[in-house]
Amino acid sequence: MNARESFVTPPLPAALLDALRAEFAERCATALAVREQHGRDESVFDVPPPQAVVFADSEAEVARVVALCAQHRVPVIPYGAGSSLEGHLLAVQGGISLDVSRMNRILRVDAEDLTVTVQPGVTRKALNEALKHEGLFFPIDPGADASLGGMAATRASGTNAVRYGTMRENVLGLRFVSASGEVVRSGSRAKKSSAGYDLTRLVIGSEGTLGVITELTVKVHPLPEAVSAAVCFFPSIDAAVRTAMQIIQIGVPIARCELLDANAIKAVNAHDKLGLKEAPMLLMEFHGSEAGVAEQAAVVQEVAADHGGEAFEWATTPEARSRLWTARHHAYLSGLQMRPGCRAVTTDTCVPISRLAENINASIAEVEAAGLPYFIVGHVGDGNFHMAYLLDPVDPQELATAERLSAQMVARAIALEGTCTGEHGIGLHKQGFLLDETGEEAVALMRAVKQALDPLGILNPGKIFAA
């Protein structure tokens, strides 16, 4: 856990602060409580907070803030919902936290084209609440009620990715503010294009280092005619994972396929009063017609039985499904309560699905040998899982053990032809792993792109790779 003293933050130019206060009045905040809120995420990094926070209400205001920061060569860090896990929003070089959460309007719904245009502060829950009256939904569900701007910036995915893809596949177009304060438009509402460089995909996943997203046009989908969820328990993690692998390999169009280990089940039982069997569990959801859902479910039950799956339980009402998925989304916070006062070092990897069981089994063997409390959840339908190591925040030895285990898990994923992060992103935590995964040549090219688009290095500096 990095000490604050190791981060050097130059003083904020008085002229910049005066200009921001003149233009934004009370929306330019320097109170410590506000700065601390914007200088903290779910990572274990201890970094001094930004020197000021500006709350933008419009694209023009975002452009003005960035232009002022460029003029004074001061870092600007975009802030949405604050739910990132790898230190993305931390002000490692000081500067201005640019909060776009008030830019939360749904600008247009084009139901006939299955597209929606939103501001970056719109959250996934708010969008789906508005869309349900149109018979539509936005499928990307990373668990937290994240903002769509932040989800695009980290190339988020989540529980529905096995069927509907990630933010990369679901964002059609963007508007963003460049490092010089100019507004750039990329993409359109068309479902495909071969016009020039794909700036939309370049910005998606750039973690705020290439531009500040101010508007998104995303795909939406019709609400399925029938939805059914089921849980099934297994004698081992290996059996559950191999069931998920076979479901995907035989082509069942399952909408969600989530793994919770026995530790995670114990945690959500305590938090949400569920009474589930404390054994490795797959939580699955099926979308389609009544007949299609029934057919999918029958095939999955047969596959699960072949791997020792038992106690298949169905949740067919919206209330029952909501209770299960709410518990799944609470798994992280529920897990923290297993060890009061702890912090979690969480890491995610993604591998080809045929190597998933190998990756998870080896990771479990390592953490159990180390004796550190942990729990596992995973979007196993697409080869992605999350390990959370629960540690005493004042015990440096436990942190060192967690970091060692995390490094071993990531190195193994890369060796298995996977990636160091399926959806958390690089941020501060995985910069060395990015080099291991892609090689020096690829990272040098990324640096060149960053230098070309942000020559002063003011956009969320120190993320993805060191300045």
Side-chain angles (χ1 to χ4, degrees):
M1 203 174 300
N2 302 59
R4 290 194 172 195
E5 292 76 13
S6 65
F7 293 91
V8 178
T9 55
L12 200 65
L16 172 61
L17 190 55
D18 289 344
L20 291 172
R21 283 172 168 163
E23 294 198 30
F24 293 91
E26 73 281 355
R27 290 189 289 126
C28 174
T30 56
L32 180 60
V34 178
R35 293 190 295 117
E36 289 277 8
Q37 177 195 359
H38 288 73
R40 182 174 59 239
D41 64 3
E42 295 296 332
S43 72
V44 296
F45 290 98
D46 186 20
V47 176
Q51 289 140 312
V53 179
V54 175
F55 295 86
D57 285 343
S58 68
E59 182 179 80
E61 289 186 346
V62 171
R64 181 60 178 153
V65 172
V66 174
L68 283 170
C69 287
Q71 178 184 334
H72 293 276
R73 299 197 172 200
V74 168
V76 57
I77 304 101
Y79 184 97
S83 57
S84 58
L85 293 164
E86 303 289 359
H88 300 88
L89 57 83
L90 303 183
V92 294
Q93 297 180 25
I96 305 298
S97 176
L98 179 52
D99 188 320
V100 298
S101 62
R102 293 162 58 136
M103 295 173 62
N104 57 5
R105 292 173 53 220
I106 298 171
L107 301 175
R108 60 185 289 185
V109 177
D110 293 284
E112 291 183 342
D113 295 320
L114 298 176
T115 66
V116 174
T117 301
V118 300
Q119 291 183 313
V122 173
T123 64
R124 65 172 185 87
K125 287 184 180 179
L127 178 57
N128 277 322
E129 182 63 27
L131 288 176
K132 70 181 184 181
H133 305 293
E134 302 280 349
L136 302 171
F137 80 111
F138 179 67
I140 310 304
D141 177 6
D145 191 21
S147 65
L148 266 71
M151 289 166 63
T154 55
R155 203 184 299 128
S157 52
T159 59
N160 281 316
V162 64
R163 178 159 180 173
Y164 297 99
T166 72
M167 287 298 284
R168 180 181 63 188
E169 291 81 33
N170 284 276
V171 177
L172 292 170
L174 296 172
R175 289 174 67 93
F176 61 93
V177 173
S178 71
S180 61
E182 298 174 325
V183 177
V184 179
R185 177 173 61 86
S186 68
S188 67
R189 290 199 308 111
K191 289 299 172 73
K192 62 181 181 179
S193 171
S194 57
Y197 293 148
D198 193 341
L199 297 181
T200 302
R201 300 305 180 281
L202 180 63
V203 172
I204 293 171
S206 66
E207 302 183 11
T209 64
L210 301 180
V212 182
I213 295 171
T214 55
E215 185 177 300
L216 309 89
T217 297
V218 299
K219 299 177 186 178
V220 293
H221 299 261
L223 284 168
E225 174 190 335
V227 178
S228 185
V231 297
C232 184
F233 300 92
F234 292 86
S236 67
I237 287 280
D238 187 73
V241 171
R242 294 192 183 281
T243 298
M245 288 167 51
Q246 189 173 346
I247 289 169
I248 302 304
Q249 289 165 349
I250 64 176
V252 176
I254 194 167
R256 298 181 179 183
C257 188
E258 296 289 295
L259 170 72
L260 288 82
D261 76 340
N263 294 333
I265 296 294
K266 183 176 181 180
V268 298
N269 276 344
H271 186 275
D272 291 272
K273 309 294 188 293
L274 287 182
L276 295 168
K277 180 180 178 180
E278 292 177 5
M281 182 188 84
L282 288 181
L283 171 54
M284 297 165 281
E285 190 167 278
F286 309 92
H287 295 176
S289 65
E290 295 283 357
V293 165
E295 182 181 358
Q296 293 171 41
V299 172
V300 167
Q301 281 186 282
E302 184 177 337
V303 171
D306 289 343
H307 293 277
E310 59 183 18
F312 228 91
E313 299 175 15
W314 291 95
T316 53
T317 67
E319 295 78 15
R321 291 197 306 273
S322 176
R323 191 171 183 219
L324 283 175
W325 286 110
T326 298
R328 164 61 184 89
H329 290 147
H330 288 167
Y332 176 74
L333 295 177
S334 302
L336 292 178
Q337 294 179 10
M338 293 168 61
R339 189 179 185 185
C342 75
R343 292 295 299 272
V345 170
T346 62
T347 193
D348 83 305
T349 62
C350 189
V351 297
I353 195 166
S354 63
R355 312 304 297 271
L356 181 60
E358 180 180 350
N359 196 20
I360 293 181
N361 289 334
S363 299
I364 291 172
E366 289 167 351
V367 67
E368 291 191 343
L372 204 61
Y374 72 96
F375 66 90
I376 291 174
V377 294
H379 317 308
V380 290
D382 52 18
N384 184 205
F385 83 102
H386 307 256
M387 176 79 81
Y389 307 103
L390 305 179
L391 54 95
D392 182 343
V394 298
D395 186 339
Q397 184 58 48
E398 288 198 1
L399 176 61
T401 298
E403 292 290 359
R404 173 178 60 80
L405 293 169
S406 175
Q408 290 172 188
M409 174 177 147
V410 170
R412 181 168 44 255
I414 293 171
L416 295 174
E417 300 180 275
T419 177
C420 64
T421 175
E423 57 187 14
H424 288 183
I426 297 298
L428 290 175
H429 201 196
K430 291 192 170 181
Q431 293 181 9
F433 301 134
L434 176 65
L435 192 62
D436 295 338
E437 178 178 329
T438 65
E440 293 181 1
E441 297 81 6
V443 172
L445 190 57
M446 294 181 203
R447 287 182 181 276
V449 171
K450 168 71 170 174
Q451 178 65 26
L453 299 186
D454 182 17
L456 299 178
I458 65 165
L459 292 178
N460 205 12
K463 313 302 163 51
I464 301 182
F465 34 71

